[in-house]
Every structure is written in structure tokens, then in C-alpha cells.
Amino acid sequence: MAVLDHKLWRDLLHLRGQMMAIVLVMACGVATFVMSLSTLDALERTRSSYYAAYRFADVFATLRRAPEHVGRRIAALPGVRAVETRIRLAATLEVKGYTDPVRGQILSYPEEGRPVLNDLYLREGRLLEPGRVDEVLLIDGFADAHGLGPADTLVAVIHGRRQVLRVVGIVLSPEFVYQAAPGALFPDFERFGTLWMGRRGLAAAGGLEGAFNEVTLALYAGSRPEDVIDRLDRILAPYGGLGAYPREDQTSHFYLSQEMEQLGLMATMLPAIFLGVAAFLLNVVLNRLISTQREQIAILKAFGYDNLRVGWHYVKMVLVVAAIGVAAGTAMGTWFGQGLSAMYQAFYRFPYLDYVLPVRVVALALLVTGGAAVLGTLHAVRSAVRLPPAEAMRPEPPRIYRESLVERLGLKRWMDQPSRMVVRNLERRPVKALLSILGMAFACSIVIMGRFFSGAFEYMVDVQYGLAQREDLVVTFAEPASRAALHELAGLPGVRYVQPFRSVPVRLRHGHRTYRTALQGVAAEGDLQRLLDLDLRPVALPPEGLVLTEHLGRILGVRPGDCLMVEVLEGARPTRSVCVAGLVQQYIGLGAYVEIGALNRLLREGDVLSGAFLEVDPAYERGLYRDLQHRPRVAGVEIQRRAIEDLYDTMGEQILVFAFFITFFAGAIAFGVVYNSARIALSERGRELASLRVLGFRRGEVAFILLGELAVLTLVSLPVGFALGWGLCRLLVLRFQMDIMRIPMVVQPDLFALAAAVVIGSAVLSGLLVRRRLHRLDLVSVLKTRE
Amino acid sequence: MVSDRDRTRAPGPVFRARGLTKIYPMGEVQVQALRGIDLDLYEGELVVLLGASGSGKSTLLNILGGLDTATEGAVWYREQDLTRATDRELTEYRREHVGFVFQFYNLIPSLTACENVAVVTEIARDPMAPEEALALVGLHERVDHFPAQLSGGEQQRVAIARAIAKRPAVLLCDEPTGALDSATGIVVLEALSRVNRELGTTTALITHNAGIADLADRVVRLSDGRIVEVYENRQKKPASALSW
Ligand SMILES: Nc1ncnc2c1ncn2[C@@H]1O[C@H](COP(=O)(O)OP(=O)(O)O)[C@@H](O)[C@H]1O
Ligand SMILES: [Mg+2]
């Protein structure tokens, strides 16, 4: 066996160029696999240990105000293991040297001991000391964004009262791994912050002494959250309960889960493509190797080697390549994985991230890669051992050709001999040609898919903020206000246009399906906040009836004309049956809309509004913002433009890094496919090409015959790749129909151009490498030997 | 059937080789394939190169045909110094003036007989029609067959047709009958001598088979890289009268 092993290494060395191209493709597959799985593993392990150690709650509920003893009734509910009542107040924050609006929320911290649930991880400083009302703990993302630490101060405006607060500690919370403001898609660490303050002090600031407005629950393992939520809702209803929800719906947890799901998808889809292509390449290369080693195999068998040994020899060769691929890919994947985890930590704030390369992942990579490689080359190995020695010892019979279809269709007259050689060679091995095309098409589609997200994301933001939410400022009142407030806003300097809105939390119920959202009452003829039909054309709101985001309609299983129950979760909490008047397109959020007058009638309230959308003169924007901020009846002001800019700031780096890698990976696939095809064509047809050179063909003319074939394959692969890419994007879009956003199916045309450029570029590169070899063809020696 | 181009050519040798030496470096040792060859080939003659295997025949022919270059010495094709030619110039030289026939035919498997000829006529300046070239070698009935569908002798005749279709000034044949039985070989040699006769193509033919020498105008015998004998063949026989 030892001698055969020498042969193995020499054969591998001889084929090193091609093998390296295959290893590259394999390594990319393994790298994405290892990167995604190891990062996923790190996130999962970190999350569960963090949740467990810091007692992350199972059920959450917000209410208006309930006396403390209600908490004891909740604790007595079956299935409830622990209860923590607390206070949460909205605030406006002021940080020294920072002029933009900062929203904040302040949570109560127990006067004695640590929180029963949702405990805090102390990163710096100390925890609160009883009785010190001006001390706060600050969440890490916000603290880092502003460079705040223990001993710094900031100002909070709570219910219109300014309070100077002293930061004593920087903390992280399992509740706020993802630190996005309520209603926002992405964290904005500068403009939204969470604070913890002693319970007594916060209660005084909010007028909630001896009461609470939020409660979190831990359940016993095995108890059904739905049952607890039902009972909890009944207890809290008289106290202005806004509907309890399980951990799955908790914002931070929800986003984190979505992200992990996405990672899981990446861990399967991309490696599958890469390993499939690598298996195909191995098959092609090994097939060629075996056909040149027919006689050697025959001699081995004549000497008494059995099929198993001969077969094992080639399988071993494939396994060596797979092992190198896995080793390189694992190294690459670990490196990427650490980078990705670090990137995640900037986004998802864990106190620590437990990144180790799990043995299980490497073993799996080895298994999957080795399996794909062996499976891909099984055919070649089988054909090697099946030949009886006597037959194998004879040279391969001449290849049979025939006129190609293209020629039979009548194009023959226009084709010179080299072109005929090109098309006939392609047609003689249609499966191989097809697989080469498919390989390159996958490369093409990966570029499209990889870049699709950023383009679609931009489009989504353009539609949302360019067509639908066109306001400059959003003003929200602390309490529903009368029409007079609207006139007051309209009269402010710089305000060009105002549009009122009314917003109430509701639970929509259709049969057994329910969904919690905010029901928005907007003006039918509004010019700022507009509804878009399914073709993105602005539509007027009907005077009566409900308009739902199309995806919400799907969730609830309703179509225009169907009626559903609207349970208002605020005030008198009426429940009414309302019919669906239409569906609208909305990529971000799941809104439900009704004409503002109709909503007020439904609520049996007068002509009131929760706030207004403003279009303002840019020159006045800042002044207006500051002025409004300080009005006592104003709960919050948002600058829309800021939201968009932040979105891009936070997403920018991630998208760039991802796009770079994906383009590189796709290039590797295209290069691997074209280079291997070219090398094999060269080895199969070197003799023929040398003969042509002898006959006086110039180098370029000979190169045309070899590379022309590859050029045809490359060009044919492009439209296939476009279609495939479109399909993959479609798959992603369907896969990511999330509540928070739905990626629209728009593939920017320049993506196709980019994908084509990557594929063509890689093809040209491998063409150039092969052309160098073509130039060194030994004319004389080729003529001396019989094929 | 002699073309205008050939008729107006100046008399004098087509090839002039002086002191040709070829050394193949083979690692430590050097193989001296040619050891000072002086040889002239004249317009329209059919020269047979005889010699044992390894005597340097192919090396000489390859240098004459611009497939290889000499280590020392010089070779001229008419006024062109082949020893000084670049790779590009040698390609053009082969393309314009030389027809090759090899022992192993070297046909393009994906092209039919006719197309294998056309592959050359398409890039030639004043070619004959491929069908005409195939008729010259007696293959007018098999023009649309692929190499895999032809016998060895037929394949070799396609190779000859391909070599002569561009009306080359010289035809260089390296053991064209080497892979054929004698009956088939005679058909191939008939085709070659017919081309030499009717087109006046200067022809050099390698063989290690002395019987074939009777076909020649002149016979050159090589041994161990040297010319050991040159003689004119007084009783030139037709191919059909040969035997070996
Ligand atoms: N590419 C080569 N490398 C090394 N030696 C060679 C090469 N080609 C030919 N030879 C040697 O040169 C000598 C002459 O070869 P060749 O011209 O092919 O002989 P012939 O055609 O008369 O049989 C032989 O000894 C042969 O081994
Ligand atoms: Mg020879």
C-alpha cells in the first residue's frame, strides 16, 4: 500500500493547481458553515446561560396603575414561580454637550436587595444604595455612545420635571440585549437610553407610590404561558392592563431569535451550494485523472489488486483533498466567526460572549464535506474499477462526435472549423457542460443574493420614509388632546403642514387568531402619513372600516369584507366588531388603520388626537424641536430624518463586510469551476491543439478553441445565474416575512451587472492562467505518442 | 495542376542546412540527436530519409518544419533563416509553406474528414477546395465521416489531404506508414507520390523501411545523428510496385 500512497501524493502534487481551486471552493463552504454554526452556538450558549443566571422573565405585562397588593394575587396564580412588580416611566434625557433629542425610559430598582427577575449585570461602578434618590444605573450601550461612566451626571425630564441624576454604575440587562427604542427597528445607542432608579424615588416622580405599572413573571417549567396570560389579563383589566405577552414577543428576545434563525439559514444554504460545487469539481477532475490512468489501473489489477483497493486508493485521494478543505475552512471560519461574534456584540449587548469552536461543528463539517466529496466522485471511482484489465489496457477508443444541433439547425454555413469544434465539444458532454453552467450560475446567484439585502433594504426605507411616512417631525402628546392643540401646532413658526393622528393599543381577534398592535387613526386625505396600495400607489383611507397591512391580514386570515373583533386595551377597553375595508403594503411594522373620526366614534371619545405629523421648514427644525420638547403636554418629539440616518449608520458596516465576503466567495466558486474546466479541457485536448499549432495555427487561434468553449459556458451561465439569484432572493424574502419588517422583492438591475462582472472576471482570470499553459505546449512530444 | 506560385519560384535549394546540431539536455547527461548535418533539398524532389530508430530523422525533419530549433548550425528555407526566427515567425512559416504528415495522423476527432481539411484551408492564402484535396488522395466518398468512423489508412490519407490542401511548398512526412499494414501503406504512399508529381511539392519522407526508398528521387541515410550516405535513385518505382 505504501507505494500506492506515493502515487497518491505525486498525483495530487501533479494536479495541485486544480486541487487548490477545489480546496478553495470547499474551504469557503466550510468557512461559512463553521462561522455560522460556531457563532450561533456562541449566541445560544451565551443567551441561555445569561438568561438563567440573571433570571430573565417568562411573561411581561404593562398596565396603567395597580396597587402593590395586586402583585400578591398574581403570585398566587397557578404556574407562576416568581413575580416582580415595577415601575417604568418614559423620560426625556439631556446629556451634556449633546444637542439631539434623547428618549429614555426609567425602570425601578428594588430598594432592598436585587431584582427577583431581570437582574442586572454590573459592568462598572456599583449598584444603587437605598435612599439615595438621585442615583441611577445606566445601560451600557447608551453609556458607551456618550462616554458616560460612574460619577457622571445627566438630566432626566420626567412628567415635565427636570431632575439631575448621578450615574453610579454601568449595567447590562437580559431584557435589553437588543437595545432598540420601542417601535424602532434598530438600536440607536445615542438617542435612546435605559436607566434604573430606586423604586421609591421613581414612584414619587411618577405619582405611583405604593403602586406599579409593570409586572414580570417567571413560570414553572411545564406551565402554559397562554393560560397564565389569560388569567393575568383578567386580573389586570381593571387596572388598565395593556395585555400581557410571553417571552417570545419580548422585543429584545424576539430580535435575537430572528437573528439566530437567519444565521441558521446561512449555516445551511451557502455551504450546501459550495460543497455541491466542490463535489462536482472533484468528480470532473477525478474522472479525467482516471481516464488518463486507465492503463495504470489495468496493470495494478493485472498484478492482483482487487477493486476495493483500487477504489479505496482514489477515495483516499478525495478524502485528503476534503481534509485539507475542512482544515483551511475551519481556520477561516473560526476567524470569521470570532469577527462576526464581535460584530454581534456591538449590536446585541451580552456581558460576555462565550465563543469556542465546538468539536461537534468541526466533526460535522468533516462529515458533510467528506460525504459530499466522496459522493461526488463515486461515479468516477466506480468506472475505474469496473473495467476488466484487458480492456483497460487498450487505449481509450476514439471519442465519437457528431454534428451539433446548432449546425443541424442550419447555422453551419456561418461557422468556421474552430467554432464547430467548440460547439461539438460542448454538445458531446452535455451533462458536464450543464453542471459547469450550473456551478457558475450559482456563483452568479450568490453575488445577487449577498448584495440583495442592502438594495432591498434601501428600497424598503425609501418606500417607508419617502412615500408613506413623509413627515419631518412626529409630536406625541402625553394625553389625548383636543383639536385646539392641532391649531396651536400649525401656528408655530416654521410649521408648514400638520396632520393629526390617534393611536390606541388594541388586540385584533379573528376566530382563534389574535394580534396585538397599535390601531392608528389618521386623516383620510393626509399628505404626510399616507397609505400605499399593493402597487405602492397612495390610496385614500375609506371613511369607515379597517385597513390592514397585507401581512397582518395574512396573519389574521382576513380579506377585505371580513369582519374582526377589535379589543381596545386602554381607557374604557371597549370591544367592537369592525370590517376590513382594504389591505395596504407596508414593509416595516404591522399597522392597522382607520379614519381618525371613525376611530374616535368607535372609542366614544370626542374629537381628540394622540399627536401630529409635522412638515417643517428645515431652517426651523432644530428650534421647533427644542421648543416642543419643553412643552409639558408633549411626551415626545421625533425627527424622522435622524431615524433614517441612524439606520444606515448602524447597518452600514455590517452590510459592507458581508458584501465583501460574499463577493469573494462567489468569485472563488466561479474561478474554481472555470479553472478546472479549462485545465481539464487542456489535458483532454492538448494533443489536438498542438496539432493545430503544427499546422500553423497561431496561439490566439488555438486559445480561441479552448477558451471559446469556456466563454460560451460562462455566457450561458449568466442568465441561468440571474434566474437562480432571483429565486434565491425570493426564497429569502419568503423566509423573512417577519412582523417587524418584510424585505421587498426588488432586485436592483445593477446587481445583475455586478454578478456578471464577478463571474466574468473570475473566468477571465482562470482563462489567462490556462492560456499561459497553452503557450507552453510542447509541439514535438505531443506528435510522438499515440493518444 | 502546378500552381502559378510554384512555377515562378527561383531554382536553387528549397532547404539549406549547414552544420546542424541538436542537443537535448536530459538532466545530467546530454543526448546529441544531430551531430553536424549538411543537407540541401531541391525544388520538387521527393527525398526519403532512412535510418534506424533514434538516428535523428525526426529531429531533423522537425527543425526543417519549424517545430523545433537547432542547438547549433543554420537552416534556411529559401531566403529565410529559420535558426533566427521567433516563435511567431515560425508559426507563420508553417502556416504558409509547410505541410505535415505524422505517424499518428493527429486528426481533430470532433471534425469530419472534410472539416479536418477545411481547418487548414480556412487559414491558408491560396488553398484548393477540401473536396479536391480529398479526391487527390482517393477519399472523395468519405468526406462527411468523423475520424472515429475511418480506418487507419483512411485517416492517414485525410491527414495528407489536410497537409497538401493549402498547396504547401514542402511536405514533411514522418513515418506516414509506420502505423499501417503494407497494403494500406502502399495506398498512402501512392497518394503522397501523386501529390509530389502533380503539384510539384518538395517532399521529405521519413521511414526506417528501406523498401520505401525506391519511391524516392534521392535517398539520405542517417546514423547516430550524422548523414552517412546520399544517393540518387536511378530506378524510381511507383508506389504500387513497392513491397516490404
Ligand atoms: N525531446 C527529447 N528529449 C530528449 N531526447 C530526445 C528528444 N527527442 C529525441 N530525443 C533523442 O534524440 C535522438 C534522435 O531522436 P529522433 O530524432 O526522434 O530519432 P528517429 O526519429 O530517427 O527515431 C534519440 O536518441 C532520442 O532519444
Ligand atoms: Mg522518429
Side-chain angles (χ1 to χ4, degrees):
Chain A
M1 251 343 189
V3 183
L4 270 193
D5 286 340
H6 283 287
K7 172 180 172 314
L8 190 152
W9 287 116
R10 279 191 206 128
D11 284 345
L12 280 178
L13 209 64
H14 179 66
L15 292 170
R16 60 183 174 275
Q18 284 161 270
M19 289 303 180
M20 254 150 63
I22 295 174
V23 164
L24 184 68
V25 174
M26 249 182 202
C28 288
V30 173
T32 43
F33 183 74
V34 168
M35 170 184 81
S36 319
L37 275 194
S38 64
T39 306
L40 189 61
D41 177 84
L43 287 178
E44 261 166 6
R45 234 152 4 89
T46 306
R47 182 172 78 171
S48 66
S49 76
Y50 185 35
Y51 278 2
Y54 290 85
R55 304 182 295 280
F56 184 45
D58 295 314
V59 172
F60 301 78
T62 306
L63 51 144
R64 200 171 187 76
R65 179 202 173 104
E68 194 54 39
H69 63 79
V70 175
R72 284 192 289 282
R73 273 174 62 204
I74 296 172
L77 284 176
V80 174
R81 186 163 56 83
V83 173
E84 169 109 59
T85 61
R86 64 179 182 189
I87 296 169
R88 184 204 296 252
L89 294 180
T92 303
L93 306 178
E94 292 170 15
V95 180
K96 234 171 279 152
Y98 191 77
T99 50
D100 270 359
V102 179
R103 279 168 73 191
Q105 60 178 353
I106 309 182
L107 287 157
S108 63
Y109 192 83
E111 290 292 330
E112 305 280 318
R114 318 231 349 179
V116 180
L117 297 174
N118 308 309
D119 198 0
L120 300 179
Y121 170 90
L122 182 67
R123 194 185 78 182
E124 270 175 82
R126 58 167 173 83
L127 293 174
L128 301 179
E129 276 174 10
R132 306 245 185 107
V133 290
D134 65 335
E135 285 184 359
V136 288
L137 301 170
L138 195 54
I139 200 153
D140 70 324
F142 182 75
D144 291 350
H146 290 283
L148 292 172
D152 286 324
T153 58
L154 75 164
V155 171
V157 184
I158 310 167
H159 285 317
R161 244 191 65 222
R162 278 169 62 90
Q163 240 175 303
V164 179
L165 301 171
R166 214 151 46 76
V167 179
V168 296
I170 306 299
V171 295
L172 285 83
S173 160
E175 260 187 290
F176 305 108
V177 174
Y178 192 72
Q179 301 178 356
L185 270 186
F186 295 94
D188 178 352
F189 297 115
E190 281 184 12
R191 295 184 190 82
F192 177 71
T194 303
L195 285 66
W196 283 262
M197 197 191 243
R199 171 91 180 244
R200 215 167 296 147
L202 194 61
L208 286 163
E209 289 91 346
F212 63 93
N213 68 2
E214 222 172 65
V215 61
T216 65
L217 281 62
L219 307 185
Y220 284 111
S223 53
R224 283 166 32 100
E226 305 87 71
D227 299 342
V228 176
I229 285 171
D230 257 7
R231 296 200 170 95
L232 182 62
D233 277 350
R234 254 174 275 146
I235 293 181
L236 293 180
Y239 304 106
L242 295 180
Y245 53 93
R247 187 191 271 190
E248 283 65 51
D249 291 346
Q250 199 264 349
T251 312
S252 163
H253 179 87
F254 176 74
Y255 275 81
L256 196 51
S257 303
Q258 295 264 349
E259 186 70 48
M260 283 155 81
E261 209 176 296
Q262 198 173 328
L263 256 179
L265 191 72
M266 186 150 89
T268 49
M269 205 152 97
L270 280 181
I273 294 176
F274 278 100
L275 294 181
V277 172
F280 156 64
L281 293 179
L282 269 176
N283 177 295
V284 172
V285 171
L286 216 69
N287 249 324
R288 176 60 197 159
L289 183 72
I290 285 168
S291 76
T292 61
Q293 295 191 348
R294 275 168 71 97
E295 289 168 49
Q296 299 176 32
I297 293 170
I299 287 171
L300 285 176
K301 287 178 73 175
F303 286 166
Y305 279 91
D306 56 19
N307 287 350
L308 206 65
R309 282 206 180 176
V310 174
W312 172 236
H313 171 66
Y314 289 102
V315 168
K316 226 169 23 175
M317 195 148 155
V318 168
L319 288 181
V320 168
V321 175
I324 299 174
V326 170
T330 305
M332 227 155 84
T334 311
W335 186 51
F336 292 165
Q338 276 161 348
L340 187 64
S341 300
M343 219 151 77
Y344 273 128
Q345 249 187 313
F347 234 66
Y348 298 95
R349 314 292 287 211
F350 286 107
Y352 53 90
L353 198 69
D354 191 2
Y355 186 89
V356 288
L357 180 63
V359 181
R360 163 178 69 80
V361 170
V362 180
L364 204 60
L366 202 59
L367 201 75
V368 171
T369 310
V374 170
L375 223 67
T377 51
L378 221 52
H379 167 75
V381 172
R382 247 213 338 262
S383 69
V385 298
R386 218 182 23 210
L387 277 180
E391 191 179 316
M393 245 184 283
R394 278 198 299 275
E396 238 183 314
R399 288 166 262 156
I400 310 290
Y401 284 89
R402 50 188 206 131
E403 270 191 11
S404 62
L405 180 67
V406 194
E407 294 168 87
R408 274 175 280 144
L409 285 176
L411 288 168
K412 184 169 173 176
R413 267 185 306 154
W414 314 102
M415 297 169 73
D416 60 4
Q417 307 310 322
S419 313
R420 291 182 196 182
M421 290 170 72
V422 168
V423 292
R424 285 178 198 172
N425 269 308
L426 284 174
E427 237 193 65
R428 200 172 71 85
R429 299 243 203 99
V431 176
K432 192 174 138 190
L434 215 72
L435 287 175
S436 297
I437 289 171
L438 212 61
M440 282 187 275
F442 265 119
C444 183
S445 67
I446 287 178
V447 178
I448 294 174
M449 186 185 74
R451 303 256 173 171
F452 160 74
F453 265 115
S454 57
F457 184 78
E458 230 167 87
Y459 181 83
M460 179 177 86
V461 172
D462 279 354
V463 168
Q464 184 85 3
Y465 296 109
L467 291 177
Q469 289 170 232
R470 312 194 309 154
E471 64 275 8
D472 299 316
L473 293 179
V474 187
V475 179
T476 314
F477 300 132
E479 294 288 329
S482 70
R483 280 272 160 186
L486 198 64
H487 295 304
E488 197 180 323
L489 282 177
L492 292 175
V495 174
R496 287 180 181 155
Y497 186 81
V498 292
Q499 185 185 331
F501 69 87
R502 175 83 177 97
S503 178
V504 285
V506 293
R507 185 183 283 133
L508 303 177
R509 192 184 288 277
H510 180 246
H512 63 282
R513 308 188 199 202
T514 67
Y515 195 84
R516 264 167 54 100
T517 184
L519 181 56
Q520 293 261 11
V522 288
E525 74 293 356
D527 201 34
L528 296 179
Q529 188 90 7
R530 298 194 300 192
L531 296 176
L532 306 174
D533 68 9
L534 299 183
D535 300 318
L536 303 181
R537 283 180 307 240
V539 284
L541 200 55
E544 289 293 337
L546 200 58
V547 170
L548 298 179
T549 304
E550 182 240 354
H551 188 62
L552 181 54
R554 217 172 314 139
I555 289 175
L556 291 169
V558 291
R559 263 176 288 170
D562 294 346
C563 296
L564 43 72
M565 297 306 292
V566 175
E567 305 172 22
V568 178
L569 299 173
E570 168 187 286
R573 304 174 66 92
T575 295
R576 308 246 192 279
S577 170
V578 185
C579 295
V580 178
L583 297 176
V584 289
Q585 186 59 274
Q586 187 182 338
Y587 297 131
I588 303 176
L590 282 181
Y593 303 90
V594 66
E595 202 277 321
I596 187 164
L599 179 59
N600 280 328
R601 282 195 296 281
L602 188 117
L603 295 170
R604 311 245 158 86
E605 291 174 357
D607 193 10
V608 295
L609 45 140
S610 312
F613 304 116
L614 270 58
E615 186 191 330
V616 301
D617 185 333
Y620 287 85
E621 191 179 88
R622 299 229 132 226
L624 263 172
Y625 162 69
R626 231 160 292 155
D627 175 19
L628 286 166
Q629 184 95 308
H630 292 116
R631 287 170 185 246
R633 278 161 55 207
V634 170
V637 192
E638 292 284 336
I639 301 183
Q640 195 70 275
R641 186 168 42 76
R642 287 279 170 205
I644 305 167
E645 282 168 10
D646 291 343
L647 215 66
Y648 283 114
D649 280 356
T650 24
M651 296 293 287
E653 192 201 13
Q654 257 197 337
I655 284 175
L656 267 182
V657 171
F658 184 66
F660 170 79
F661 279 118
I662 220 81
T663 312
F664 171 80
F665 284 177
I669 284 198
F671 175 79
V673 172
V674 183
Y675 182 70
N676 266 303
S677 308
R679 282 299 299 276
I680 280 164
L682 182 62
S683 96
E684 283 177 346
R685 315 238 304 277
R687 187 185 171 79
E688 181 178 309
L689 299 175
S691 302
L692 287 173
R693 288 276 288 135
V694 167
L695 294 178
F697 273 66
R698 302 186 183 110
R699 285 175 167 171
E701 290 165 339
V702 171
F704 166 78
I705 294 172
L706 186 71
L707 302 178
E709 192 178 317
L710 295 170
V712 170
L713 290 179
T714 308
L715 290 182
V716 171
S717 80
L718 292 179
V720 180
F722 293 163
L724 209 60
W726 199 88
L728 283 180
C729 294
R730 182 90 208 127
L731 195 73
L732 281 180
V733 164
L734 288 178
R735 202 66 190 59
F736 288 107
Q737 293 275 315
M738 299 183 288
D739 292 6
I740 36 169
M741 62 169 141
R742 281 135 333 258
I743 304 280
M745 187 59 211
V746 276
V747 184
Q748 251 75 21
D750 57 338
L751 262 188
F752 292 114
L754 178 77
V758 170
V759 172
I760 291 174
S762 314
V764 166
L765 179 67
S766 47
L768 286 177
L769 284 175
V770 172
R771 215 174 80 136
R772 272 210 349 237
R773 291 186 165 262
L774 201 57
H775 285 179
R776 291 192 305 233
L777 270 185
D778 185 350
L779 303 192
V780 177
S781 72
V782 146
L783 299 171
K784 270 192 197 145
T785 50
R786 179 169 202 127
E787 193 173 3
Chain B
M1 282 284 271
V2 177
S3 78
D4 289 345
R5 196 153 52 118
D6 286 321
R7 218 176 292 147
T8 54
R9 267 176 199 157
V14 180
F15 284 109
R16 223 155 23 99
R18 292 296 176 265
L20 273 191
T21 307
K22 179 70 185 183
I23 298 171
Y24 290 109
M26 293 278 287
E28 301 284 283
V29 291
Q30 296 191 332
V31 179
Q32 189 147 16
L34 296 179
R35 303 167 186 264
I37 297 278
D38 298 323
L39 182 67
D40 291 335
L41 294 187
Y42 298 98
E43 190 74 56
E45 69 172 340
L46 196 163
V47 174
V48 165
L49 297 172
L50 271 181
S53 173
S55 57
K57 307 179 299 284
S58 296
T59 306
L60 176 59
L61 200 77
N62 288 343
I63 292 174
L64 294 181
L67 289 176
D68 207 347
T69 48
T71 314
E72 253 177 73
V75 56
W76 286 270
Y77 165 78
R78 299 190 200 278
E79 257 59 72
Q80 192 177 357
D81 184 353
L82 296 182
T83 12
R84 296 221 157 68
T86 61
D87 181 84
R88 186 180 296 267
E89 284 163 348
L90 286 179
T91 301
E92 293 307 311
Y93 159 66
R94 291 197 302 270
R95 188 173 181 139
E96 292 265 307
H97 307 295
V98 190
F100 284 103
V101 179
F102 296 97
Q103 182 180 354
F104 297 120
Y105 333 132
N106 294 85
L107 297 180
I108 313 282
S110 60
L111 297 180
T112 62
C114 185
E115 289 165 343
N116 259 288
V117 178
V119 85
V120 170
T121 57
E122 268 173 8
I123 61 167
R125 200 176 286 169
D126 173 32
M128 56 179 91
E131 293 80 6
E132 188 185 340
L134 285 166
L136 259 178
V137 297
L139 271 183
H140 40 277
E141 274 160 12
R142 322 220 57 176
V143 288
D144 285 330
H145 288 64
F146 282 92
Q149 300 164 316
L150 296 171
S151 73
E154 286 168 335
Q155 288 188 49
Q156 190 61 298
R157 281 188 283 156
V158 174
I160 296 171
R162 182 175 67 176
I164 56 148
K166 66 178 170 191
R167 304 183 205 281
V170 294
L171 185 58
L172 305 178
C173 315
D174 192 341
E175 305 205 27
T177 58
L180 304 172
D181 61 83
S182 75
T184 319
I186 283 166
V187 178
V188 166
L189 290 175
E190 262 176 345
L192 277 176
S193 61
R194 182 174 176 199
V195 167
N196 173 252
R197 223 168 38 237
E198 294 183 2
L199 301 182
T201 312
T202 308
T203 305
L205 195 159
I206 288 182
T207 177
H208 56 256
N209 198 324
I212 294 176
D214 290 344
L215 192 73
D217 294 312
R218 218 151 49 104
V219 178
V220 176
R221 185 182 294 275
L222 274 86
S223 174
D224 197 19
R226 291 193 182 86
I227 295 177
V228 291
E229 187 188 5
V230 181
Y231 68 90
E232 308 249 330
N233 181 19
R234 307 257 171 240
Q235 293 99 37
K236 189 174 171 182
K237 289 186 194 168
S240 54
L242 300 179
S243 67
W244 64 86

